[in-house]
Structure formats: C-alpha cells, structure tokens
Amino acid sequence: MSAQPTAPPRRPAIVAVDDEPAVLAAVARDLRRGFGERYRVLRAGSGAEALELLRQLRTRGDQVALLIADQRMPGMAGTDYLVQARAMVPEAKRVLLTAYADTEAAIAAINDVALDYYLLKPWDPPDEQLFPVVDDLLTTWESGAALEAGGVRVIGHRFSKESHDVRDFLARNRVPARWLDVERDSEARELLRVAGVDGDRLPVALLEDGTVLERPTVLELAERLGVAGRPASDHYDLVVVGGGPAGLGAAVYGASEGLRTVMVEREAPGGQAGQSSRIENYLGFPAGLSGSDLARRATTQARRLGAELLTVQDAVALRPEGAGRLVELSGGGVLSASCVLVASGVSYRQLDVQGFAELTGAGIYYGAALTEARSCSDQHVVVIGGANSAGQAAVYFSKYAARVTMLVRGDSLGRSMSHYLIEQIAALPNVDVRTGSEAVAADGDGRLARLVVRGPEGAEEVLEADACFVFIGAMPRTDWLDGVVARDGRGFILAGPDVPADRWPLKREPYLLETSVPGVFVAGDVRARSVKRVASAVGEGSMAVSLIHQYLLDT
C-alpha cells in the first residue's frame, strides 16, 4: 500500500475583526495582497466571533501571528477584545484600527493591552501606511516563532548551571532551539534513550545534522553552530570591542560611513541591554521593545551595512604599535586596526553573601535570564535591586510568576528607577516591594529553596523562593586594559577632558571620547561619568565614529 501524502503545514493566521463589512473586506483584501502567500487571513464581524475563531485555531494547534481589531465595535470594543485575545494567543502581535478622534484611546491601549501598534483609518495607500507596519510586526513574530520551533534541541536540568548557560547562550544569540527539561518532559527522557546518552552527561545538545553533543561548552556549541565567526580581513579601520548599544551603534554608523568595521562581543549582541525584558522609553518605539528585539534589529542593520560581527570572542589585551592598534582575542587571534572603540560595558556585581555562589545558575541568576521566565510559572520569584533593570525584570516576571518580591536596599524606588516603571510596579497586584531590605543568605539542596532577608529594623526572616534574579550595580569590564589606558578608581575609562595631562602624549587635546591612548576611543557604560541609558550609549557610539573620522583625517 502506498504511503498517504503528508499534508503541508498550515500557514500561520492573521485574524482581522471589524463590525463594518466594507472596512473588514478592505483590510482583508490588503492583507492578502501583501502577505497572503505566507499567512492565512481570517475575518470576523465582532469581538465575540473573533474569540470563538481563536478558540478553534488554538484547538487545532494553529499558530496566530497577528490580530487586527477595530476600536469602535458594538458589544465589545477593540481593546476589550484584545485583552481577552491576549490571554489565548499571548505571542500574537496586536494592532488597533482607530479613527483620528480615538487616538488618545489607542495610546492608552499601548499600556492597557500591550498594544504593538495602532493604525489610523483609512490606511491609504497600503504600500506606505499598512504594509511596512505589518511586515515589521510579522518579522518580529517570525523571529520569536523560529526560536520556539527550534532546530537545536537541548536536554538538561532546569537547576543546572551548565544547562542554564547553554540555554541562555542559544536564546541570547537567537539560535532556534527547544528546551526539554529531563525532569518534566517525557520526550527528553525518550530522546536520551534513543541517543544512548546517560542522564549524568547533561546537558545534551541534539543538532539538526544529527550530531549529539554531551556536556558541550558554550564555545564548542558556538563553533559547531557557526555562531562565533572568523575575521575576514587582516586589518580594519575600526575594531569595536563590545556588542551592547554603544558597540552596535558604532558598528552601524562606522559601516554606513565606509569604515572597514568589525565588532567583537564576548557573549551575544545586545550586552546587558539585550537582557532587558522591556525598554519603554527608547525614542521612536511608543509601544516599547525588548532588549532582545533591539539587539536583533541593530545586529541585522549593522551586517546589512557591511560590519563584521564576531561573537563568543573576548578582547584580552590591547597593544598600541606605531600607528596601529592590536586587539588580542581570547581564542588566540589578533585584530589589527587603525582605531579601536572600547564599548565593553559592565558586568553585574556579584552578591557576596552565604550560599549565593553555590546556587548561581541553580535558582540564582545575575541579570534578567529571560529564558527562565516560563519556568517560573505560578512560582515565587525574588528580584534584588532597585534600578531600572530590576524594575523591568519585576514587571516581566509578574506575567508568569504567582508572586514577585523586590528587595531594595534604599528607602524608595524613586532614587534610581524611572517614574514610568515605578507606576507600572505599583499597579501590579502580585509584586511586593520591600524597601530597606536585603538578602543575607541563600539555602537549598542543589537548587534555591529559601532566602534569609534582613528588614529595615535589622530583623531577619526566612523567605521561601523558587528563583532569584540579582541586579545590584555593575563593574566595568576593563581589567584587560590595565596599564594601557587611564582609568578612574573604580576602573571606568577616562576620556576627553578627564584624561590626565601626564598620560596624554600629543600636543593637541584628546577628542571628547578619546582615551589616554590616541586612536583608542570609549563609549557607553564603561566610560567614566557616562549616563547609564540605552539611548545615550547609542548616541556615544555614533558620536565616536565622527571623532574617529576626524582622527583618521589628522593622522
């Protein structure tokens, strides 16, 4: 008997809802014209009808990529529909159709329903008003869907540092991968049996070509997946050290202005900002965007303009030689350049209290560790810190965890956190902010189980906790520059007018972002007296490129 042909996979759905038949037909027509080859465009005449359609799609296991809803509909407003739809298809992008008179309601909906965009009716011509918006949203959705579908399968223990490091590396470098918890997923145990791998050899990575990697290091995995990359040139105009917002900004502007540019990043593009769950105040993104999304967009932009990106490489030394600047890499290679921009950023300060070192990666994490969010479903999460990064993490984890407790050493959040974040946190019923409090010990049998917390009066209590995320300030990554460039007492790099006169070798004054070594510039959080904000880091990266052009003209 011949085998039955396999049905092709169903295309993801775009669901449009409007109570006016003519408007609904128009939006469906335009969406099919622009995106009908990749997506099914489905229509509904009311919010209730659309919700029933979503239930059917979910029951069949179909993917929903985009929801487009009119605001003014009888029975159920567009925003009310999107609130209910979000619970059913949380990953779908959400767009509100609105008349000019309803603009205020649309802007409010950005916060109320996590709206991704609003479109004014009519959207004519669609090639200019509709297609670019929808294409951008679908590209972002596709990126996330690819990560969820995953070609690489990783089997490990949730509370294993090695498993966490591999999982976090794949997520931050946007490598499509599926995570399988050996304790929760029967599929994981079956795959180990088929692959003939013992349970004590975790984590295990199953690659698309059939390769089975037992206990792979991040570097080994990067090399096998082609993530690391190798330099294509013997000499560059500009080597950018660090792939955070400052480094990415410099890579984009350097490449766009004709400089042979290579960027070196020790972990993944985006730096610390790439771990931010939501950046609400970045200019030009009224709905906000995640740090991961910002990093993805900037990385794509830099590569499109011609910059090279080398990840999982760390700069370990800088050697000025005549007019050249040599950057030694952790893998043993050396990059030669006319100019170097140090944008190596900062790393989270480790909490030096009992039990934290032993449980790091096993319930205690430094930074947002967004890969752990869904694993925290219905659990108690503790966030330590009181600045923006801690606030963003608390808001993000509140969507998954049953309870989030923030431990803040200061007497209020107002000293170090943006006002919009303070308001968001105050409105979340499952987030408890404890000021004047700090963790003084952690305990657990192979995984975090409890924290000892000291309150404002000095009394201590034991707090049961499933996961803890630490944001307690940062230390500059400048040890590799010891004795080469001038730094302040905390290790931040001095630049421009802050460079000591006895460390500057030329007659001219150093440029604004130039270090004590001519031709070596600095930008972003690693610079002394910098403003610790994403936008300012991007600005410094672009400004540095202008100064580098001036330096090259003068030499």
Side-chain angles (χ1 to χ4, degrees):
M1 181 182 292
S2 61
Q4 294 294 319
T6 303
R10 295 172 69 87
R11 290 169 294 163
I14 297 174
V15 177
V17 54
D18 197 305
D19 66 306
E20 296 183 34
V23 176
L24 183 59
V27 70
R29 177 201 65 216
D30 289 339
L31 289 171
R32 287 194 180 101
R33 181 163 72 88
F35 309 97
E37 291 186 2
R38 292 183 292 155
Y39 295 88
R40 287 178 295 148
V41 178
L42 307 178
R43 296 188 287 179
S46 68
E49 183 183 336
L51 290 173
E52 179 56 33
L53 177 57
L54 291 178
R55 291 188 190 97
Q56 295 174 14
L57 292 170
R58 286 296 306 272
T59 300
R60 291 199 298 261
D62 291 353
Q63 292 180 300
V64 179
L66 180 68
L67 305 174
I68 297 185
D70 185 49
Q71 170 61 5
R72 289 195 178 185
M73 295 188 294
M76 183 182 297
T79 48
D80 295 333
Y81 155 69
L82 290 174
V83 167
Q84 297 185 49
R86 182 186 181 193
M88 299 171 64
V89 285
E91 303 304 324
K93 298 300 178 182
R94 292 170 288 277
V95 175
L96 193 67
L97 295 177
T98 178
Y100 183 77
D102 295 327
T103 302
E104 290 297 325
I107 293 174
I110 291 175
N111 290 329
D112 296 340
V113 301
L115 191 69
D116 293 292
Y117 211 90
Y118 69 88
L119 284 169
L120 295 177
K121 298 188 293 185
W123 53 89
D124 190 53
D127 301 74
E128 297 178 11
Q129 303 296 330
L130 178 68
F131 293 168
V133 171
V134 173
D135 185 60
D136 183 64
L137 292 173
L138 291 177
T139 298
T140 303
W141 178 85
E142 287 171 357
S143 176
L147 294 179
E148 291 292 323
V152 178
R153 289 168 292 179
V154 178
I155 303 170
H157 293 282
R158 177 190 170 194
F159 295 105
S160 155
K161 185 181 187 304
E162 292 75 17
S163 294
H164 168 75
D165 289 346
V166 167
R167 186 183 177 194
D168 198 52
F169 161 76
L170 293 172
R172 294 194 62 199
N173 282 279
R174 305 197 70 81
V175 176
R178 285 181 60 209
W179 162 253
L180 297 168
D181 190 328
V182 72
E183 295 179 352
R184 297 184 179 183
D185 300 312
S186 59
E187 182 184 353
R189 296 187 289 274
E190 177 63 18
L191 284 172
L192 289 179
R193 186 189 67 78
V194 171
V197 178
D198 292 334
D200 61 356
R201 299 290 298 167
L202 301 180
V204 170
L206 307 176
L207 307 188
E208 288 184 283
D209 62 3
T211 302
V212 178
L213 300 180
E214 302 177 22
R215 291 180 176 174
T217 65
V218 166
L219 182 58
E220 179 185 2
L221 199 55
E223 291 175 344
R224 294 300 298 267
L225 294 172
V227 173
R230 297 182 181 277
S233 177
D234 295 330
H235 184 81
Y236 294 88
D237 297 316
L238 172 62
V239 170
V240 180
V241 179
L248 284 167
V252 166
Y253 281 91
S256 69
E257 295 182 16
L259 297 178
R260 287 174 298 171
T261 303
V262 61
M263 188 187 81
V264 181
E265 166 54 41
R266 66 191 295 267
E267 293 176 347
Q272 275 195 6
Q275 294 179 284
S276 295
S277 54
R278 203 75 183 165
I279 303 170
E280 300 275 8
N281 55 357
Y282 193 70
L283 186 67
F285 290 86
L289 78 169
S290 69
S292 175
D293 193 26
L294 178 63
R296 175 185 62 81
R297 291 168 183 266
T299 299
T300 300
Q301 190 176 20
R303 284 185 168 137
R304 181 179 66 81
L305 292 168
E308 290 181 43
L309 273 63
L310 306 180
T311 56
V312 201
Q313 292 268 19
D314 202 5
V316 295
L318 172 66
R319 288 189 286 115
E321 290 192 0
R325 305 289 179 259
L326 303 179
V327 177
E328 298 180 12
L329 303 178
S330 54
V334 177
L335 295 175
S336 171
S338 300
C339 292
V340 172
L341 174 65
V342 180
S344 48
V346 295
S347 56
Y348 286 112
R349 185 173 288 114
Q350 307 290 295
L351 192 56
D352 186 20
V353 299
Q354 179 183 334
F356 269 69
E358 294 80 2
L359 294 172
T360 296
I364 292 178
Y365 309 97
Y366 289 87
L370 302 183
T371 51
E372 301 296 332
R374 293 186 181 180
S375 300
C376 296
S377 178
D378 300 323
Q379 295 185 342
H380 180 205
V381 170
V382 175
V383 174
I384 299 178
N388 276 7
S389 53
Q392 289 163 350
V395 171
Y396 184 73
F397 286 117
S398 71
K399 301 174 185 177
Y400 301 91
R403 178 183 168 204
V404 177
T405 300
M406 291 190 69
L407 301 180
V408 183
R409 289 186 64 180
D411 57 7
S412 75
L413 292 175
R415 290 186 174 184
S416 53
M417 188 178 294
S418 295
H419 180 69
Y420 78 89
L421 266 176
I422 296 174
E423 288 191 326
Q424 285 186 18
I425 291 169
L428 294 171
N430 62 336
V431 177
D432 175 31
V433 179
R434 298 192 181 187
T435 57
S437 300
E438 58 183 324
V440 294
D443 186 33
D445 185 12
R447 52 170 287 188
L448 176 67
R450 62 197 67 86
L451 296 170
V452 179
V453 177
R454 180 179 298 147
E457 303 300 325
E460 295 183 358
E461 67 169 305
V462 175
L463 195 64
E464 303 293 325
D466 299 290
C468 175
F469 300 88
V470 184
F471 307 82
I472 55 167
M475 300 174 62
R477 290 175 171 166
T478 58
D479 288 347
W480 63 287
L481 294 169
D482 187 28
V484 180
V485 301
R487 299 179 294 166
D488 67 11
R490 297 183 298 162
F492 291 91
I493 298 173
L494 300 171
D498 294 329
V499 172
D502 60 350
R503 295 289 299 272
W504 181 248
L506 303 181
K507 291 182 179 179
R508 68 166 175 84
E509 295 295 315
Y511 295 121
L512 186 61
L513 298 178
E514 196 170 17
T515 71
S516 60
V517 177
V520 176
F521 295 78
V522 61
D525 289 358
V526 74
R527 182 178 67 85
R529 300 202 297 175
S530 66
V531 178
K532 305 298 188 285
R533 288 291 184 270
V534 173
S536 62
V538 173
E540 287 189 15
S542 62
M543 185 195 306
V545 170
S546 296
L547 299 174
I548 286 166
H549 267 295
Q550 186 63 48
Y551 171 84
L552 293 173
L553 288 173
D554 289 346
T555 55

